[in-house]
Amino acid sequence: MKRGPAAQIVLDRAGENSIATGVAVLDHLLLELAEAGNFGLRLEIAPDEPEAEVDKAGATLGAALRPLLGRRGVGIAAAEEALAMVVLEVSDKALVASNADLTSTNAGGLRTDLAAAFLRGLAEEAGLTIHVRLFEGQDSQHVLEAIFKALGVALADARLKE
């Protein structure tokens, strides 16, 4: 029997993470997100094509976050030479606006922009407007880490509540 995706945010257990999306680079980025946001994350995605797994991971996390978010949050984070800011707002209009174009990076062997696909699924399921601004960064892995860390900080700033 094939299980559907499941996500759980554990607010009082930062550092207790169990992440299995089927895309190793995404697992790493979600661990960075949870650590930066100071919450535990349990996320399991049933095996599928990697691009579909990224979309499902964003949507599944978004569904788990939706009831926990306040109105807005801002996060700024660095990873090596990369510096990113994420601003999010709970909204009826799911939207991702970003100046970071990572379509040519093929992170994790994906044919699409991993960050854009994940953030789109997250925004749609959580009902968020998400703005991503990359201030600095050349190495695509560092850029992705900075974006996901900044997202974690922004989620924490959005007053995650039980």
Side-chain angles (χ1 to χ4, degrees):
M1 180 174 178
K2 188 175 177 182
R3 286 193 320 182
Q8 180 183 17
I9 309 298
V10 186
L11 299 177
D12 60 346
R13 299 229 167 94
E16 291 188 19
N17 301 297
S18 176
I19 301 167
T21 65
V23 180
V25 68
L26 182 59
D27 292 352
H28 169 73
L29 293 170
L30 289 171
L31 178 62
E32 294 283 342
L33 178 148
E35 289 178 355
N38 201 31
F39 57 84
L41 175 60
R42 294 187 187 116
L43 176 65
E44 181 181 331
I45 302 297
D48 202 340
E49 292 298 314
E51 284 78 9
E53 290 171 346
V54 171
D55 289 339
K56 280 190 228 172
T60 303
L61 182 59
L65 285 168
R66 187 176 202 124
L68 303 176
L69 294 174
R71 292 297 306 154
R72 62 190 55 85
V74 177
I76 299 174
E80 303 291 333
E81 87 293 352
L83 177 64
M85 177 174 70
V86 172
V87 178
L88 57 86
E89 182 172 37
V90 176
S91 168
D92 291 332
K93 298 176 184 171
L95 171 73
V96 177
S98 175
N99 71 341
D101 180 8
L102 301 173
T103 53
S104 63
T105 63
N106 295 325
L110 299 176
R111 294 181 301 270
T112 59
D113 182 336
L114 180 146
F118 176 82
L119 292 172
R120 185 175 47 254
L122 176 69
E124 289 172 2
E125 283 299 319
L128 294 173
T129 296
I130 302 172
H131 288 270
V132 178
R133 292 296 169 261
L134 180 64
F135 296 116
E136 200 67 47
Q138 297 300 316
D139 182 284
S140 61
Q141 183 64 32
H142 298 159
V143 168
L144 285 168
E145 285 180 10
I147 290 169
F148 276 73
K149 285 180 178 181
L151 177 59
V153 174
L155 290 168
D157 188 48
R159 293 183 254 353
L160 288 170
K161 57 185 189 297
E162 291 196 80

